[in-house]
Amino acid sequence: MDLEAVRTYVAVAEAGQFQKAATDLAITQQAVSKRIAGLERDLGVRLFSRTPRGAEPTVDGQAFLPHARELLRAADRAAASVRPGSRPLRVDVINSRGAASRLMRAFHRAHPGVELDIVMLLDIESAVAALRSGAVDASFRAVAAPGIPLPEELTATRVVDEPLDLLTGPGHALAAARSVRLADLAGHRIWMPGILPGSEWGAYYAALAAEFGLTIESTGPNFGSDALLDTIADTPALATFMGEDTRLVWPATYGLRRVPVTDPVPVYPHSLLQHRDNPHPALPALHAHLAAAAAPAASGAWVPDWVPGWGADRVPGRAR
Amino acid sequence: MDLEAVRTYVAVAEAGQFQKAATDLAITQQAVSKRIAGLERDLGVRLFSRTPRGAEPTVDGQAFLPHARELLRAADRAAASVRPGSRPLRVDVINSRGAASRLMRAFHRAHPGVELDIVMLLDIESAVAALRSGAVDASFRAVAAPGIPLPEELTATRVVDEPLDLLTGPGHALAAARSVRLADLAGHRIWMPGILPGSEWGAYYAALAAEFGLTIESTGPNFGSDALLDTIADTPALATFMGEDTRLVWPATYGLRRVPVTDPVPVYPHSLLQHRDNPHPALPALHAHLAAAAAPAASGAWVPDWVPGWGADRVPGRAR
DNA sequence: TCGGACTTACAACCAATGGTTGTGGGTGGT
DNA sequence: ACCACCCACAACCATTGGTTGTAAGTCCGA
């Protein structure tokens, strides 16, 4: 199926005749005739019934028309997603299951009119480079991690702290616990595959392990969250950390247990990075939404939490 | 933008390298290279960063990918909409503002998974022909109108009765009335442009006019509902009928008045026609939905209504 | 009834597209 | 240093898709 033929089809359906559609498209009537004939050959049905006064859609043509229009709109959106200048707001999130993804989905629900593209960059260096070049408009990251100075032209706004739960299999020693103190995790093996030592998560867990004497293993390649959960469910000696609000789609029979960690609650600090001069019109709306989403938590009871020493100030109003 | 190039792009993004995508698509690596280069030229951005071990999407490529997938899905849906055999349920409605359209929108909300195509055929003859040929699966029509025998292989199910209101401009004699008896409309000019004498609506209004002495003018071409409403608003001597539940999108300043007609209420009888042997899997769900939608009205107070003498039995449970 | 104005369809031609094969440059592992 | 593997470029060629010219059909008015 050829998009130009589909575009020609819609033009004919709107014009009511091949001739006028041809002048609208600035081609000859014969070219229109050929395109429509080719489209009908591709689809295997007759789309127009030709009359001496023009052409009108057949039943198949009527059914095809809205799909054709939607197809052309999809093509326009696809082209717009990479058009320099006015393109959809492009936001980098740190992974597809974390708090940042959840916030962006909520933002999309609250502002359905804002065109949005979500990308996931590998590390903060490439995120910083993408922000400086303008390839992305905003990035959820943990800033001020050691060794990663924030360039002058970027700004960072602390937007949300993500509390972490412990995730264990049914055979784990803490599987039945209602909660566990962070200090009591000393000596337990925590497995976080795919966390690179130099990355932000790597720095976060390194600081956490150093302060509370945890054993965090990030060895081995990341085979995806399915493989991770599979291993956690089957290995009594292993546990892992997972965002408190992460919803798991997982068969209940595997018996994964989620154990809240307290005293203090380890929270991962998310900031929104952007270029100081980025003029994208949707950025203010995003900031307003994030501020509004963080504020209501202030009414809850506050619980002591832990962020790395380099984690700067806490987000206003966080509670649990 | 070429759909084949987009399909190739998605294949490369999934394969991770041009070579493998080429074998998957059964073309040469050079052809893949050319297609991607052409797509990048069309879009004006670089989609892949080429490495000695393959190709990975750039930031622009990452943003483009979901749009590309959606574009291909839209193309598949468009092709499926006219595929003989298993295609979406194709339903003919009598116009875009009537009760049939409303019912189909409600059905779509209740069954979002059912692929649906709505068409509007000119008259009941073409609807019958389309049903017999299998070009459409179901049709909302008023059957048993005089001179239109229902062929043996078609079935008709009375699904909904649509009450009609009188629509007037602010200067009309009945504009301030809270309701009007059908008999009191005798002598008033009712304008229904575009209603053909031989059509179902034509037969309906002819019977209505004959029984209650109305003056119904259906002269003149139908310039669309905007032109109709425009004329009604500006002409004190004219009024028209309109479905009770029809929502008008119209500036309030025009002052159109909707006057319920009573004693009896004129209702237009809609039936669902289909081929006796049509095996489309979504047809039972449609029938179940229509039966469920008609039933709840039985709880309301019943009001005398009027259908043409040829209008067969009333739909069970209709009320107002 | 005939001719003019209008429609779409078909034939011939030609440039440009899009595939192929062959080859070269570059990187990473042995 | 060589080999294996990747992608890009060049040359070639069939096919596609545009053009012009013409034919066939219908409507309408003289």
Side-chain angles (χ1 to χ4, degrees), chain A residues 296-311:
Chain A
S299 58
W302 184 80
V303 173
D305 53 18
W306 177 91
V307 295
W310 41 263

Side-chain angles (χ1 to χ4, degrees), chain B residues 2-3 8 20 25 27 31 35 40 54 57 66 69 92 117 120 149-150 171 174 181 220 226 229 231 254 261 271 303:
Chain B
D2 178 18
L3 275 188
T8 306
K20 187 169 185 314
L25 297 172
I27 57 177
R35 285 187 185 178
E40 288 176 330
R69 288 209 170 95
D92 159 58
D117 282 323
M120 292 183 297
L150 196 64
L174 294 170
R181 292 174 56 234
D226 278 0
L229 298 181
T231 304
Y254 279 71
V261 183
S271 293
V303 173

Side-chain angles (χ1 to χ4, degrees), chain A residues 18-19 30 33 50:
Chain A
F18 286 28
Q19 193 73 260
Q30 289 87 338
S33 186
R50 281 78 160 172

